[in-house]
Amino acid sequence: MASSHRVPARGWGAIRSLLCLSPLLIFVPWFANRNLYALPEPITALVNPETGLPQISEAQILEYSRILSEDIGYRTGECERLVQQDPGRKLECEVWHQRGSGSHRFDMMGKRMYKTYRDLTNIVIRVTLPSPGAADDALAVGVMIECIRVLTHTPGWTPTYAVVFLFNHGEESLQDASHLFSTQHPIAHTCVCNIRPYIDSSLTHCAAAGNEGPELLFQATSEEMIRAYSQVPRPFGTVIANEIFSSGVLLSDTDFRQFEQYLNITGLDIAVIGNSYTYHTRQDLVENIEPGVAQHMADNTLAILKYLSRTRYTRPTTVFFAEFGRFVQYQFSTARLMYGTLFSLSFVIAWVTCRERASDSSSAGFWVAQWNGARTLLVAFGGALIGANGLAVVMHRFLGHNMSWFASAHSALFLYGPAALCSMLASQMVFPDVAERSVLSALLLMQSGGALLLQLLGIGSACFLFVAAVPLFVALSLDALLNPHAIVSLWTYALGLVIPLSIGTEMTSIVLDVFVPLTGRVGADAPAEHIIASIVAAMLPLTIPLVTPFSRRFPRSVRMNMVTILSILIVAAVAAFTFRSPFDQRHQRRLFVLSSDNITSHERYLHIGAVDGAPGFEQLVNDVAANFGVVDAQGVLEDMHDRNGDWDILYPFSAFMSPYKIPLPKDPGYVSPFEAGKRAFKVEAVNDIIDVVANTRSLTLQITHPGLIWTVIAFDAHVLKWTLDDAPPNEYTRHHIKEASFFGVDRWSVDLVVQGTAPLTINFIGIDEEAMWPGKKATAAEVQGRRGVHINMELFERLDGWLTRETGDQVDTMLLATVGGVVTV
């Protein structure tokens, strides 16, 4: 049909059109978020009253978390008792209490470190038929115990492959105990897969990411692991999260690193990410875990275990995502076929509609129209980024109110959303004559073509573009068939909007849930304001991709009115956010406080570090100095580099900090108990041999640290050999060796062969095990009875109370007493 046969029609005005679409614009995001954060009703009963079979009980999991440190032995005996009760059942329960020492290289945040550990422990339980098989390591402890109970109490359950439950030690000391299991346990090399679901409380500390909402599948490393996850009753994960985590952009890691590196096994990483403000803070308590979180995680974990105990594995080439409670997965080969087909059909529909309805129906006219539409979309996307980041500059550099959105992860949408949308619309003034239909067809080709291109590059996240393009293709096809008018039907927008709006809302919520709390611990120098502004600006055109073609329906004057209204909203938002504090009692600023006792220079300093760029920190430091430092003291900004030994206990995380140090008043009668005597902290060179001919020195560095934990030594040398498990770098450089040992182990050593015969200057530091606030608050009175008033605990108690009062409980403070110095050996 020729374009002249089309019936011209005048579309509705902007207000009427927006009112028509408003139910979708309101209901779809509301429903998507409701579905995203839905959790199951917590179950309290241990046995299903209808079937008589054991079932996952959230109440039981949380109870395990509360009493775990006292009652874990009972659960092991329970497993063995059940096997003895039914001798005809082909099931075995084996239990190990592993204890061992070792060392390993651990690179983090671009820094090279070496770890050594002594006498760390793991508890390993293997439930199996008499044959080796699949492994299940490092589950949240309560979930693990509950899964053991349900599996072993289920009549007739006999796994084809073994299920190994590893209760591992030392993850926070950089994965020492998972290294111990992977390299030294006799059954380690029988394991072929790994699952790591995370949940956190102050008692279990199984390395969580949050305590609200469903757990997210963020790493899957084999086809069968993805297939196993597809069996869960409540899936929540996408290939996009998998690829973001694998890229390393989050600077995060899990124990799975050790299992993959040393055992070459596949696995799943699953994390609760909601409300990660509480991650590693005092609010990280069992009582703050949202009802349903443990139930959701445990139900899914149990389903995975049942599947994995009867299958085997290959590397993944699978696209997967969960939507509306359904888990969708298909092969990369299938994806290439689907995406290629969609792109071909999209090209056909764009060609047909252009030839029939465009003013220039020639081939050249088609390509010109698509180019005009494409550049309009690209300029709109760029405009969104420029507008949001321009406002970020105003908030940070001019108004000094950066991170005002921190206390509410989604509030950044109200600050930077209008700015991004306003700039998108303003950018349309650059191309005043581009037709609405050209922009729509260009958008369809860009989405379908982008999906195909990314998939050809092996990027599974292309599924997002594909899923967004499908409804737009259907909508434009129906418009071409059923709409006799030249103007695009408003129903095209309604049909093409629903799925991108739903998926985009979920993705935006997840990304903000991860990145907003993360900005509170990435350092003052990180461009937090621009990170969040860019996320909002990037997600907006992906969530409502039809906003640019929609704006082309109306004359320039209407677009100008829209820009004016949005500009007013921007001013109102800025005014509102300037009155907001970045922090509150539930979303606190993290402070790291060290009271350092240098036993070689006899200096005492209070070091205060924050890991965010929000305003007010320098003033807070000066107030602390005025109240707790020497007379007329002021905080001195420390230069953070690899040779700042005062912060070596937190190296390399300390690189995120911009700390200050405050000189503390000196008590003339004070002598550190770690200077001499039975508690002396010593670094010595023993077995010291100099080879003049080879110009080398062989020695053993022996570190004695009674009463101190997490000791670190740092020195400059060209090390030729050592007894750590990784070859030293072939250069003169700074070395950091960190120790984590079982409580009561107070000596460790490392053998070295270094180039040259000159003395070594060793920076050494450790944490006073009796002076950690609030960790040792409960035992402070007992220690005081044995040793008298602890100078640092008394300081910490006063300082912590002062910070709580002065900030309105808007800070979460970790206070540690460190002992260190410098020695030449």
Side-chain angles (χ1 to χ4, degrees):
M1 182 181 294
S3 59
S4 59
H5 296 163
R6 292 290 175 182
V7 180
R10 179 179 176 83
W12 287 353
I15 295 176
R16 189 177 180 187
S17 297
L18 286 172
L19 287 174
C20 183
L21 293 174
S22 60
L24 286 178
L25 295 172
I26 296 171
F27 174 77
V28 172
W30 172 83
F31 181 79
N33 266 329
R34 179 177 176 272
N35 177 71
L36 177 67
Y37 295 110
L39 290 171
E41 188 70 25
I43 294 174
T44 58
L46 301 182
V47 177
N48 188 314
E50 296 179 2
T51 64
L53 295 175
Q55 64 183 359
I56 293 291
S57 166
E58 176 168 303
Q60 185 80 335
I61 293 171
L62 297 181
E63 184 65 12
Y64 288 147
S65 298
R66 289 188 178 91
I67 65 172
L68 188 59
S69 59
E70 302 173 8
D71 201 20
I72 192 171
Y74 163 75
R75 299 301 156 191
T76 297
E78 179 75 358
C79 177
E80 294 167 337
R81 181 186 65 80
L82 286 167
V83 173
Q84 293 169 3
Q85 258 186 4
D86 188 359
R89 187 178 178 189
K90 294 181 179 180
L91 194 67
E92 292 181 359
C93 285
E94 301 169 89
V95 182
W96 292 266
H97 184 211
Q98 183 188 16
R99 191 181 187 109
S101 305
S103 64
H104 60 108
R105 174 174 168 174
F106 194 97
D107 292 354
M108 183 180 182
M109 296 166 52
K111 303 292 185 180
R112 181 178 56 243
M113 286 184 301
Y114 297 91
K115 289 302 313 298
T116 181
Y117 55 88
R118 296 291 180 270
D119 291 341
L120 288 187
T121 60
N122 291 318
I123 293 176
V124 186
I125 301 176
R126 179 165 66 179
V127 182
T128 179
L129 286 169
S131 65
D136 185 330
D137 304 313
L139 288 156
V141 177
V143 172
M144 289 170 69
I145 297 174
E146 185 67 349
C147 286
I148 293 173
R149 181 188 70 82
V150 171
L151 289 173
T152 56
H153 281 73
T154 300
W157 179 77
T158 52
T160 304
Y161 304 108
V163 181
V164 176
F165 296 86
L166 171 62
F167 298 83
N168 68 282
H169 200 163
E171 199 243 9
E172 294 304 336
S173 64
L174 304 183
Q175 305 168 13
D176 293 322
S178 53
H179 175 270
L180 171 64
F181 175 81
S182 301
T183 58
Q184 298 183 35
H185 200 280
I187 70 166
H189 290 280
T190 69
C191 301
V192 296
C193 75
N194 170 265
I195 313 172
R196 285 188 54 78
Y198 292 89
I199 189 171
D200 200 18
S201 72
S202 60
L203 300 178
T204 61
H205 287 294
C206 293
N211 59 11
E212 292 182 2
E215 80 280 356
L216 173 71
L217 170 64
F218 65 92
Q219 185 169 214
T221 61
S222 76
E223 296 284 353
E224 284 73 17
M225 299 304 285
I226 297 170
R227 196 171 300 125
Y229 189 77
S230 70
Q231 310 297 310
V232 304
R234 302 177 187 91
F236 181 51
T238 73
V239 68
I240 301 173
N242 187 71
E243 291 179 344
I244 290 175
F245 183 82
S246 300
S247 72
V249 68
L250 293 179
L251 296 178
S252 183
D253 206 353
T254 75
D255 274 323
F256 180 64
R257 168 177 176 170
Q258 303 298 322
F259 305 130
E260 187 172 42
Q261 179 175 345
Y262 293 99
L263 299 177
N264 192 31
I265 63 177
T266 65
L268 293 173
D269 264 322
I270 309 167
V272 177
I273 62 170
N275 193 33
S276 66
Y277 297 96
T278 62
Y279 177 64
H280 286 184
T281 73
R282 301 184 204 185
Q283 296 188 40
D284 206 356
L285 304 171
V286 171
E287 62 212 51
N288 290 335
I289 297 175
E290 184 182 8
V293 166
Q295 191 73 48
H296 192 286
M297 174 179 288
D299 286 343
N300 284 353
T301 301
L302 184 64
I304 294 170
L305 286 177
K306 289 181 176 179
Y307 179 86
L308 288 180
S309 61
R310 60 177 191 270
T311 192
R312 291 246 177 208
Y313 319 93
T314 55
R315 277 288 180 190
T317 54
T318 301
V319 177
F320 63 91
F321 56 90
E323 188 65 26
F324 303 119
R326 300 288 183 180
F327 191 77
V328 180
Q329 60 175 326
Y330 47 86
Q331 296 295 311
F332 276 14
S333 56
T334 304
R336 288 191 292 270
L337 178 61
M338 291 194 305
Y339 302 174
T341 301
L342 178 63
F343 178 65
S344 300
L345 294 175
S346 297
F347 186 85
V348 170
I349 196 66
W351 177 273
V352 170
T353 54
C354 179
R355 296 296 296 269
E356 289 191 355
R357 306 193 184 194
S359 57
D360 183 356
S361 59
S362 66
S363 297
F366 168 78
W367 293 111
V368 169
Q370 301 316 305
W371 165 243
N372 287 337
R375 66 178 181 172
T376 298
L377 292 164
L378 292 174
V379 168
F381 186 80
L385 290 172
I386 292 171
N389 280 280
L391 181 58
V393 171
V394 172
M395 294 297 295
H396 189 183
R397 304 298 177 186
F398 292 96
L399 298 178
H401 284 280
N402 50 310
M403 294 186 67
S404 55
W405 32 259
F406 180 78
S408 177
H410 297 176
S411 67
L413 293 170
F414 297 99
L415 178 61
Y416 291 117
L421 186 57
C422 180
S423 294
M424 287 178 68
L425 295 177
S427 70
Q428 299 307 295
M429 308 305 173
V430 178
F431 307 112
D433 299 324
V434 180
E436 172 193 16
R437 194 175 295 279
S438 297
V439 181
L440 279 169
S441 60
L443 175 62
L444 176 60
L445 291 175
M446 290 175 70
Q447 288 180 334
S448 58
L452 177 60
L453 177 61
L454 291 176
Q455 191 59 60
L456 290 174
L457 295 174
I459 301 174
S461 300
C463 65
F464 179 81
L465 291 175
F466 172 76
V467 172
V470 168
L472 181 57
F473 169 77
V474 172
L476 287 176
S477 299
L478 291 175
D479 182 74
L481 290 172
L482 304 177
N483 177 21
H485 305 294
I487 192 169
V488 177
S489 169
L490 195 61
W491 282 104
T492 302
Y493 289 94
L495 292 174
L497 185 65
V498 174
I499 293 180
L501 186 57
S502 174
I503 296 177
T505 297
E506 291 186 358
M507 286 185 59
T508 301
S509 296
I510 294 170
V511 171
L512 290 176
D513 282 344
V514 171
F515 280 93
V516 169
L518 192 63
T519 59
R521 51 183 188 268
V522 295
D525 295 332
E529 204 71 21
H530 293 282
I531 291 172
I532 300 304
S534 297
I535 286 173
V536 173
M539 297 307 298
L540 186 68
L542 294 176
T543 303
I544 46 175
L546 302 185
V547 68
T548 301
F550 182 75
S551 70
R552 311 302 301 192
R553 294 173 69 88
F554 311 110
R556 179 188 178 93
S557 59
V558 173
R559 291 197 292 273
M560 286 298 298
N561 290 336
M562 292 179 179
V563 169
T564 301
I565 293 171
L566 287 169
S567 298
I568 295 171
L569 290 177
I570 292 169
V571 172
V574 168
F577 275 80
T578 54
F579 288 99
R580 287 170 56 103
S581 169
F583 309 104
D584 59 29
Q585 293 182 358
R586 294 192 66 239
H587 311 89
Q588 298 170 312
R589 165 175 256 159
R590 296 163 187 261
L591 292 184
F592 298 84
V593 176
L594 305 182
S595 175
S596 66
D597 191 349
N598 191 309
I599 60 176
T600 55
S601 69
H602 307 291
E603 296 174 310
R604 291 188 66 232
Y605 281 95
L606 192 67
H607 304 262
I608 305 179
V611 285
D612 63 77
F617 177 55
E618 184 177 2
Q619 182 60 51
L620 179 63
V621 169
N622 288 329
D623 289 344
V624 171
N627 285 273
F628 296 90
V630 298
V631 177
D632 296 327
Q634 283 191 326
V636 177
L637 183 64
E638 297 189 64
D639 185 12
M640 291 305 296
H641 48 72
D642 286 357
R643 288 168 177 78
N644 185 336
D646 291 330
W647 288 92
D648 274 352
I649 59 165
L650 295 179
Y651 181 86
F653 176 72
S654 54
F656 280 142
M657 296 185 187
S658 299
Y660 291 78
K661 66 178 182 179
I662 302 166
L664 288 172
K666 293 183 179 180
D667 182 347
Y670 173 74
V671 178
S672 172
F674 298 99
E675 281 192 44
K678 293 188 297 183
R679 302 178 71 196
F681 187 10
K682 297 182 293 184
V683 177
E684 303 169 292
V686 299
N687 304 322
D688 196 351
I689 301 172
I690 293 178
D691 187 333
V692 178
V693 176
N695 191 31
T696 62
R697 183 184 178 197
S698 303
L699 71 157
T700 298
L701 286 177
Q702 182 172 279
I703 296 87
T704 306
H705 56 97
L708 300 174
I709 61 173
W710 280 33
T711 56
V712 184
I713 60 171
F715 57 93
D716 295 295
H718 184 179
V719 179
L720 303 176
K721 295 180 182 178
W722 56 18
T723 50
L724 303 178
D725 80 338
D726 189 82
N730 186 26
E731 60 180 335
Y732 183 88
T733 188
R734 187 73 167 178
H735 303 279
H736 288 82
I737 304 177
K738 307 185 71 150
E739 166 267 347
S741 299
F742 196 76
F743 180 72
V745 178
D746 57 12
R747 178 174 292 174
W748 61 279
S749 63
V750 57
D751 297 339
L752 304 175
V753 178
V754 299
Q755 184 72 53
T757 60
L760 293 177
T761 300
I762 310 291
N763 213 104
F764 61 95
I765 192 169
I767 301 173
D768 184 348
E769 193 272 335
E770 294 179 348
M772 300 184 289
W773 188 277
K776 290 295 180 177
K777 179 179 179 180
T779 59
E782 177 190 342
V783 173
Q784 181 176 337
R786 294 199 319 266
R787 307 187 192 276
V789 176
H790 197 299
I791 186 172
N792 285 308
M793 289 297 276
E794 188 271 338
L795 170 65
F796 290 165
E797 184 173 12
R798 289 190 296 114
L799 177 57
D800 191 45
W802 183 89
L803 285 169
T804 299
R805 291 191 303 274
E806 294 299 314
T807 67
D809 198 20
Q810 291 186 8
V811 298
D812 181 89
T813 312
M814 181 183 74
L815 302 103
L816 304 173
T818 63
V819 179
V822 180
V823 65
T824 300
V825 297

